[in-house]
Amino acid sequence: MILRRRATVAPSADAAPSATELRDERTTLRWRLALLTFAVVAFAVGLMTFLTYLTVSRTLTAGVDHDLEQLSGVLLEQSLDPFYLTNLNAEIQQFKMYNPETRVAISPPGWSFSRGDAIPVGGDLRGHLDHTSPVYRTVGGERIMSRSDSLGTTIVLARDMSGTHQLITSLGTVLLAITALGTMLAIAAGLVVAATGLAPLKRLQRAVDYVADTDDLRPIAVQGNDEVAQLTTSFNAMLGALQESRTRQSQLVADAGHELKTPLTSMRTNIELLMLLNQPGAADRISASDRQDLERDVMAQMTELSTLIGDLVDLAREDAAEITVESVELDEVIASSLARVRRRRPDLEFDVHMIPWRLTGDQFSLGRATLNLLDNAAKWSPPGAVVRVRMIPLANDRVQLTVADSGPGIRPEDRERVFERFYRAPEARSQPGSGLGLAIVKQTLVRHGGSVWVEEAPGGGALVVAELPGHPQPAASR
């Protein structure tokens, strides 16, 4: 058994690997995980930095707009006083004294010009003169607000944004530095996460390599209860199944060798005796009837050996876990097996009741299994006895097949073991057979989704009960 075998497929001449495929082959899982972690963290840091910059920039601008709106409200309220408009220039100068960073232009109602600073508004604001809500623009590094009241007074305020822009620029620089630092930390975090996250996988890989190198199928120690631990548990289950298969294989070889050795030894002895009798002058040492008995023994041993080899081949075929999927008429398979058994035991009566039943499976394997069931019942039934075969539907997708013989039956303590390979009850060891027939039956039925067990027949003898899936088949469709 080679556990580290790798299947390789040679690339065709016109299907050269792409650069991406070559890069993926060179990149280890550790670096892939590190790069993925770096990409996720870097994206998160970059996104948060951008959102922070955008939020702070808009907050500072909104603060300037709020100040301008409050100042415009005060000026509009003062413009309602006639004496304020009479001394407008002085009032503007006083306003600028208290607000040196703000420029102002006031246009009283009905005026076609304004007093104060010449403020470029960046467009025609006359469309907004009938609205009391403020209008904002940014022109030439200044934040400009225009606001009118219901009487027609218009206030235009402008504030230099250079300080705010400088603050925003400084903030952007700091955030870029934070982003760079965060990216470096993301790389380090990616490497740490990759090393830490893959440490259990490395331990599992070393354990698997040890199993492959030493062929030691002992379970691997499970640490924790995470996904790697579950993977280790699954691998241990695979090792257990592999060890069980190896044990069964060794046992099969040992049992087969033992079972083959007995008829081979006996047949060799009889053949050597026949060869000795064929020598000149030795023919008179044995009677003709004894010689015929000896020849019959050789033929019987050859038949027994041939049957045993056939059973071993069938058992190996079932072990291969390859099932031919085809539609099988179970009642026809049973009828074919029954015809063969009747030819072998014409002295028995077969009481048969079958129903049309179809399932999907391997017709050859099912034929072999049903033949073994009927052969087993015929072997243990005395001449003139009755073998009862019944097919009973349990549901629309399940059928029960029972085969009852008229023999001595099977002891309760042996009813489970009769399906083991090469097992033969003490009272059965004098009978011909290899002990593989019922093992083949069980293995075949289990592979087809069925089951089989042994009970005591109502009139005495053994009752073998088998269940199989499928569905009834109307007689008209056959």
Side-chain angles (χ1 to χ4, degrees):
M1 178 190 64
I2 301 176
L3 295 180
R4 303 183 67 182
R5 180 180 179 183
R6 298 180 179 176
T8 58
V9 179
S12 60
D14 56 349
S18 63
T20 303
E21 293 174 345
L22 293 176
R23 183 170 61 254
D24 290 342
E25 291 178 358
R26 292 194 300 266
T27 305
T28 62
L29 180 59
R30 177 180 178 183
W31 278 106
R32 292 181 187 177
L33 184 58
L35 291 175
L36 179 61
T37 305
F38 158 70
V40 172
V41 175
F43 175 77
V45 172
L47 180 61
M48 292 302 299
T49 301
F50 173 74
L51 292 177
T52 302
Y53 176 82
L54 190 63
T55 302
V56 173
S57 176
R58 290 186 176 182
T59 301
L60 293 175
T61 303
V64 173
D65 293 344
H66 180 69
D67 291 342
L68 294 178
E69 185 176 356
Q70 286 185 334
L71 291 175
S72 65
V74 173
L75 292 175
L76 287 175
E77 184 178 356
Q78 291 177 350
S79 67
L80 297 176
D81 186 0
F83 295 102
Y84 180 81
L85 297 178
T86 303
N87 300 313
L88 186 58
N89 290 332
E91 294 294 339
I92 291 175
Q93 292 300 324
Q94 186 179 1
F95 173 82
K96 296 180 66 175
M97 184 186 306
Y98 288 103
N99 302 278
E101 72 282 0
T102 304
R103 297 197 299 157
V104 59
I106 301 176
S107 177
W111 289 26
S112 60
F113 58 91
S114 61
R115 293 290 180 89
D117 299 313
I119 301 175
V121 297
D124 186 8
L125 295 174
R126 288 177 296 180
H128 301 276
L129 295 180
D130 294 334
H131 303 281
T132 58
S133 59
V135 178
Y136 298 95
R137 284 191 177 90
T138 300
V139 180
E142 288 184 319
R143 187 65 172 172
I144 299 174
M145 185 210 71
S146 174
R147 185 178 181 185
S148 302
D149 61 8
S150 58
L151 298 177
T153 303
T154 300
I155 304 296
V156 179
L157 298 176
R159 177 170 293 181
D160 186 13
M161 296 290 289
S162 59
T164 303
H165 289 164
Q166 184 177 2
L167 179 61
I168 294 174
T169 302
S170 300
L171 176 64
T173 303
V174 173
L175 292 177
L176 284 176
I178 293 176
T179 302
L181 180 61
T183 302
M184 296 178 62
L185 291 177
I187 297 175
L191 293 175
V192 172
V193 169
T196 305
L198 295 179
L201 286 179
K202 294 293 289 184
R203 290 196 298 269
L204 180 59
Q205 180 186 1
R206 289 194 295 269
V208 172
D209 290 341
Y210 172 78
V211 172
D213 293 338
T214 62
D215 207 18
D216 186 358
L217 300 182
R218 286 181 298 179
I220 301 172
V222 180
Q223 299 181 2
N225 56 356
D226 54 6
E227 288 78 4
V228 178
Q230 296 175 6
L231 178 62
T232 306
T233 303
S234 300
F235 189 80
N236 286 339
M238 183 189 71
L239 289 179
L242 191 60
Q243 180 64 50
E244 182 182 359
S245 176
R246 177 183 292 180
T247 302
R248 292 174 59 189
Q249 183 181 20
S250 301
Q251 187 65 36
L252 176 63
V253 172
D255 291 342
H258 175 74
E259 294 294 331
L260 289 171
K261 183 177 180 180
T262 300
L264 281 175
T265 302
S266 179
M267 187 167 57
R268 177 180 178 179
T269 301
N270 291 334
I271 291 176
E272 288 178 348
L273 181 57
L274 286 174
M275 293 175 61
L276 181 63
L277 294 176
N278 286 331
Q279 293 180 0
D284 298 334
R285 298 179 182 179
I286 187 173
S287 64
S289 60
D290 290 339
R291 184 183 182 91
Q292 291 177 356
D293 291 339
L294 189 60
E295 291 175 351
R296 281 195 297 270
D297 287 343
V298 171
M299 294 301 300
Q301 290 157 1
M302 291 180 64
T303 302
E304 180 183 357
L305 187 61
S306 177
T307 302
L308 177 59
I309 293 175
D311 289 341
L312 289 173
V313 171
D314 290 336
L315 199 61
R317 184 175 183 268
E318 294 298 322
D319 279 338
E322 295 179 358
I323 184 170
T324 302
V325 178
E326 57 183 331
S327 181
V328 180
E329 304 291 342
L330 183 61
D331 52 317
E332 293 184 0
V333 171
I334 296 175
S336 177
S337 300
L338 189 60
R340 296 175 62 182
V341 176
R342 277 173 169 162
R343 288 194 297 268
R344 298 174 186 174
R345 292 295 305 273
D347 56 337
L348 293 179
E349 180 182 351
F350 291 87
D351 181 9
V352 181
H353 173 72
M354 293 188 294
I355 60 173
W357 193 265
R358 176 177 293 177
L359 73 157
T360 301
D362 187 348
Q363 182 168 345
F364 178 83
S365 297
L366 290 171
R368 181 66 175 176
T370 55
L371 180 62
N372 286 348
L373 280 178
L374 296 172
D375 264 338
N376 187 75
K379 180 175 67 174
W380 290 101
S381 297
V386 179
V387 175
R388 296 173 177 83
V389 181
R390 297 287 186 272
M391 285 182 66
I392 305 172
L394 301 178
N396 289 332
D397 59 349
R398 205 77 177 170
V399 69
Q400 184 181 84
L401 170 65
T402 60
V403 179
D405 61 38
S406 300
I410 300 176
R411 295 181 301 177
E413 59 269 22
D414 292 331
R415 290 175 184 174
E416 287 292 332
R417 300 196 62 189
V418 293
F419 296 104
E420 297 178 5
R421 300 174 178 181
F422 297 105
Y423 177 78
R424 303 180 72 187
E427 59 272 13
R429 292 172 184 170
S430 60
Q431 297 289 334
S434 61
L436 293 176
L438 291 180
I440 295 175
V441 169
K442 182 176 182 179
Q443 196 159 333
T444 301
L445 297 185
V446 169
R447 284 183 61 202
H448 284 78
S451 58
V452 63
W453 64 91
V454 176
E455 297 178 357
E456 183 177 358
L463 174 67
V464 181
V465 183
E467 290 187 6
L468 280 168
H471 56 87
Q473 185 68 14
S477 65
R478 297 167 63 100

